[in-house]
Structure formats: C-alpha cells, structure tokens
Amino acid sequence: MTETPAHSGVPNDPSAPAETGAAADPGRPVRPDHTDVLGAFDEHHPPQQNLIDDCVHCGFCLPACPTYDLWGEEMDSPRGRIYLMKEGLEGEPMTDAMVGHMDNCLGCMACVTACPSGVQYGTLINETRAQIERRHERGRWEKLLRTAIFTVFPYPRRLKAMRGPLALYQKLRVSSLLRRTGLTDKLPPHLRTMESLAPPISRAPKLGRRIPARGQRRATVGMITGCVQSAFFPDVNAATARILSAEGCDVVIPPSQGCCGALSEHSGREEEALKFARKLLDTFEESDVQHIVINSAGCGSTLKEYPRLLRDDPEYAAKAERFAAKVRDIAELLTELGPVAERHPLPVKIAYHDACHLSHGQGIRAQPRDLLRGIPGVELREINRGELCCGSAGIYNLLQPQAAEELGNRKAANVLDTEASLLVTANPGCSMQIRTALERRGAELPMAHTVQVLDAAIRGVPAEKLLAASG
C-alpha cells in the first residue's frame, strides 16, 4: 500500500524530533491482556470490521468533513480514514502517516450526520485512537505536550488553582504587553494557542449540595459540574442550577465528583477514561435522582457512551447502563419537562452555534433553538455552514493549532455575517475557540451559554445587562 502523507499544511511542531512508528516490530508486547496480531491493531477492541463494512464510500461525508474541506486530501476524509482502518485490519502496519491522518481528525462527527448508511464513525475513530496510544511511539515533544495537558485539564481542583494566577495575569494586562512587544509570536504554536484561549476570569458563585425546587417539585436531578466548566465558566453552572430549580427540580450536586473522562476517551487514553468513568459512576450511584444533567456538549456525548466504554467490566457494566439512561443534556431535559417558569421579554438577536458533540454526537439541534425561541423578543439567526466544527474539538486546538486556527477564522467570519448581538453555544471549548478567533479579527461579540439566556429571561434581567455580562 502506498500511503498519502499527512497534509503538509498542518505539520507537527517543527521543533519536535521525528516520530518513529511503533509498527517497526509488529510482534512487540503491548500489555499482558492484549495479544498482538499482525498489522496495525492488537486484539483489544480494534476498529470493528462490521462497522467498517457499513461504509460504501459514497462521498456524502466529504463536504461535511472539516479537514477535507480545508485540504481536499482523501486520506483526511472520513472514508479515507476508514480505508486506512480496513488496511490495518488486513495486515498493514501502523505507520507515522496513518497516525497523522487519524490525529488530523477533529472527531466532530459531522460525517455521522451526513452519512446515509449510518456509519458509526465516532466509535471507529475512538477505537483506532486507543490502539494508537498503545501501539505508536510518539515524539518526545508531543509526549511532553500531551502529558502536560492531561496532568491538568481532567482535574477540576488543578484547573481551579489556575484561576488566581490567570485573573492576575488578565488584570495586569500581561497578554497585551506580550503582543505589543512581539514576544507572543515567538512562542511555539501550541503554547501561543494555550495563552490565547484563556477565558475572562470572574468571581465564582458558590453552589450548595442540594438546591430545592421552586413551587411544585416535578423531578429530582443530579447535576454534573464538569472540569473546564466549573473552573472557568462557573456562571454557567450557577445558571443551570437556577433554571432547574425554577422549572420545579430539586438539584443534587455531589461535591466529590471529578472528570467524566471525555477528553481522555476522545484522545485514545482508554485506561484513564475508564478510571474517571468508574469514579463518576460511584459518585452518583447512591444519589436518588431521576435524571443526570450535563451542560457541556463534549462531556454529555461521552456520558451517554459509558455502556460501550465499560462493556467489559463485570462490576460497572450494569451501573453504566443505569447511569447513561438517566443522562440528559440541559436543553434536552428542559424540553422534556416543558416550561413552567415565566419568560420575560429579552429583545436580543442571537446567533446559535451548534457544538459538534451536541448536534452530531447526540442529535440535539432543535431543543436549544426551541428554548431560545420560547423567549419573547429573541430573534434567532442561523450561521452559514454552521455544521462545520469551529476547531476546538476538545484539545484539538492545542495539538493541531494551525488547522484549528483556520477553522476558527472561518467560523468567526460566518458568525459576524449574521450581524447578531449575542453568540450562544453549549460547550466551553467552543466559547473559548470562537472568542479567540473573533479577537484575532479585532472583533468583539458577547457570548453566552443557552442556560444563561434562559436564566436571564426567567429572572427578568434586561437585555443590556445580559450583553454586558457576556462581553
């Protein structure tokens, strides 16, 4: 087989040492319980042949795929990557080029929405990435970068410890000074992206362990606070709790909850993802709740995948099934319950951005729009090519900063074309990515989560105050 090399427009960091494929010795031991086979994959959950066979290579996925849209490279399209998976199952080794094409994928699952054959690409790419993390030897710089990311991001307490230094950094306007002196441009692309993505730090409201329903109780809901959401977007969690209470829900917030494992799962760090998932299941196992609500799209997609992730675990498989059956995105649950709290007028022109793991991963598109349209005075404006990813994709913008920047620039331009006065989305990563892309264009646009708009309407907050708080 002749491989198409990873697209030269999005190289790995030039300072990184050359990578060496782990397939040089296809018989090398991986783990005692994973027996190697010839080819790219070992026997522990390789990409499934029956799912690969569902792809008829029709090409409907091509215009929906962000990386194919960027570069026009067949192997950087979903069907191209599926072809590489098939080759791997048939005995081809795991090469640097193959890994590069898989790494280029955002995992946005827009192809799943576009596919007429129902190909489960999300499952295939996650299984392939888990194989890559076990079997492929990454370069020293990339190992260091990934280790740094996963030492911090999946740990809420560590993220919260960064709030103080970040707040001081922003108050002293160090970022502006670095840009004026040109020092920011001298940082490696990955570090430059990290610096630019930091959201504005504001005072974090305190959430109790249980928030009672206002009026007649309609449901008891467990609330997941998340990692990035709780550390950098605490107002979103506070608004979520207030809305649920206003809509007649007792809200239970276990204080010991940690990461759900979404970032780890989407990056192929299977054992780490399973560890986080088991801990979260234990945390909520004793909570007597009817629903478990999440307000972060990427996390919600993974929570609903727990039965697949834990299918081999005799102790946790049944727990995962029970848990996943209760999981609801906040927009999904509010739509199921139906509104009881009064919505006050909020004359705002809103551009709604579909977070990929909400729209493509969970199929939740109409519910957020219906909730926003249910507010008197709201005018909803659609974003051109809104189905294309903004480039955030978990930690993709940190690992593939050039591709992510181009996608962010395209999204920002399309958002501005709506002439909306407020951008609304349902994922913290999207908020940070699009805000940064707008700033690169010298543009400012207030941004909010769906729940913050609903909360303002229920509490009667004036539109001017909502926009000022979201700026």
Side-chain angles (χ1 to χ4, degrees):
M1 181 186 75
T2 302
E3 292 261 14
T4 302
H7 191 270
S8 59
V10 187
N12 289 326
D13 186 82
S15 65
E19 293 182 357
T20 303
D25 178 8
R28 70 184 179 90
V30 179
R31 285 178 22 176
D33 56 337
H34 296 165
T35 303
D36 270 12
V37 294
L38 289 176
F41 309 121
D42 62 43
E43 292 180 340
H44 181 69
H45 297 309
Q48 299 166 53
Q49 184 70 58
N50 62 316
L51 300 187
I52 287 174
D53 291 342
D54 286 339
C55 177
V56 297
H57 301 277
C58 65
F60 277 87
C61 61
L62 298 182
C65 176
T67 51
Y68 186 81
D69 193 66
L70 284 178
W71 310 317
E73 294 279 357
E74 176 67 20
M75 291 305 168
D76 281 316
S77 74
R79 73 177 184 182
R81 294 183 180 108
I82 289 173
Y83 176 78
L84 293 177
M85 296 172 196
K86 180 175 181 290
E87 293 271 284
L89 287 176
E90 292 175 351
E92 290 291 335
M94 183 179 290
T95 64
D96 288 347
M98 175 190 178
V99 171
H101 293 304
M102 300 302 171
D103 285 350
N104 284 343
C105 176
L106 292 102
C108 68
M109 294 186 283
C111 56
V112 175
T113 299
C115 180
S117 302
V119 176
Q120 297 178 42
Y121 180 82
T123 298
L124 288 171
I125 190 65
N126 284 338
E127 289 173 343
T128 301
R129 282 177 166 163
Q131 293 277 340
I132 288 171
E133 289 308 298
R134 286 198 301 273
R135 295 177 55 79
H136 179 71
E137 186 68 24
R138 295 191 180 275
R140 189 176 305 164
W141 165 253
E142 192 171 1
K143 277 184 182 178
L144 180 63
L145 177 62
R146 287 173 180 260
T147 298
I149 290 170
F150 284 99
T151 299
V152 177
F153 279 77
Y155 298 94
R157 288 184 180 177
R158 296 176 192 178
L159 284 174
K160 288 175 183 175
M162 295 171 61
R163 285 178 52 85
L166 268 176
L168 182 62
Y169 180 87
Q170 292 170 358
K171 185 177 180 180
L172 297 177
R173 305 180 70 83
V174 176
S175 181
S176 299
L177 176 63
L178 292 176
R179 287 188 177 89
R180 285 199 305 272
T181 58
L183 291 176
T184 301
D185 295 334
K186 296 180 181 179
L187 292 173
H190 311 280
L191 297 181
R192 190 165 62 243
T193 299
M194 283 188 187
E195 191 276 338
S196 68
L197 286 172
I201 302 298
S202 58
R203 185 181 297 274
K206 297 285 186 181
L207 292 177
R209 297 189 179 190
R210 191 179 188 97
I211 300 167
R214 285 167 45 190
Q216 182 179 357
R217 185 175 65 192
R218 305 164 71 198
T220 302
V221 177
M223 179 176 155
I224 293 178
T225 52
C227 302
V228 173
Q229 199 80 288
S230 63
F232 299 129
F233 298 91
D235 289 344
V236 173
N237 282 340
T240 301
R242 284 195 298 265
I243 289 173
L244 289 169
S245 174
E247 296 290 15
C249 298
D250 279 355
V251 185
V252 178
I253 308 175
S256 59
Q257 59 183 285
C259 180
C260 68
L263 287 180
S264 303
E265 157 67 3
H266 297 155
S267 300
R269 299 166 69 95
E270 183 181 22
E271 290 302 319
E272 186 176 74
L274 290 173
K275 180 189 72 172
F276 287 135
R278 292 185 187 108
K279 185 175 180 182
L280 193 66
L281 287 174
D282 289 341
T283 300
F284 278 87
E285 180 70 11
E286 301 302 320
S287 300
D288 185 18
V289 298
Q290 295 161 271
H291 306 290
I292 296 169
V293 73
I294 180 72
N295 55 26
S296 173
C299 299
S301 183
T302 296
L303 294 171
K304 293 177 180 180
E305 286 280 298
Y306 273 11
R308 178 183 64 81
L309 295 179
L310 292 152
R311 61 194 181 278
D312 297 333
D313 192 320
E315 181 181 352
Y316 283 88
K319 287 183 181 181
E321 292 281 357
R322 292 193 298 271
F323 180 89
K326 295 180 179 180
V327 172
R328 300 288 189 278
D329 178 76
I330 180 63
E332 186 180 22
L333 178 61
L334 292 175
T335 301
E336 287 180 14
L337 290 174
V340 293
E342 179 185 0
R343 270 66 166 164
H344 298 88
L346 204 58
V348 181
K349 296 174 183 177
I350 290 176
Y352 177 76
H353 163 71
D354 283 295
C356 293
H357 277 90
L358 194 63
S359 61
H360 303 307
Q362 302 177 61
I364 297 174
R365 302 179 188 87
Q367 295 94 321
R369 288 173 168 82
D370 291 343
L371 290 170
L372 292 170
R373 288 193 183 103
I375 300 171
V378 163
E379 179 186 336
L380 211 55
R381 298 192 171 186
E382 293 297 331
I383 301 169
N384 182 39
R385 302 213 69 187
E387 77 282 357
L388 279 183
C389 184
C390 66
S392 173
I395 59 170
Y396 185 89
N397 50 5
L398 302 179
L399 299 176
Q400 305 278 0
Q402 291 168 283
E405 181 174 323
E406 187 167 351
L407 290 169
N409 290 341
R410 293 183 180 192
K411 181 66 70 173
N414 289 338
V415 167
L416 291 173
D417 283 346
T418 67
E419 298 184 348
S421 53
L422 178 67
L423 176 66
V424 172
T425 188
N427 198 59
C430 298
S431 297
M432 292 187 286
Q433 172 76 356
I434 300 174
R435 184 189 298 274
T436 301
L438 289 168
E439 288 174 352
R440 281 197 299 269
R441 298 174 65 91
E444 292 185 4
L445 182 66
M447 303 181 66
H449 191 288
T450 312
V451 296
Q452 291 175 296
V453 182
L454 289 169
D455 179 53
I458 290 172
R459 293 194 292 140
V461 174
E464 297 77 13
K465 188 172 181 181
L466 170 65
L467 295 175
S470 305

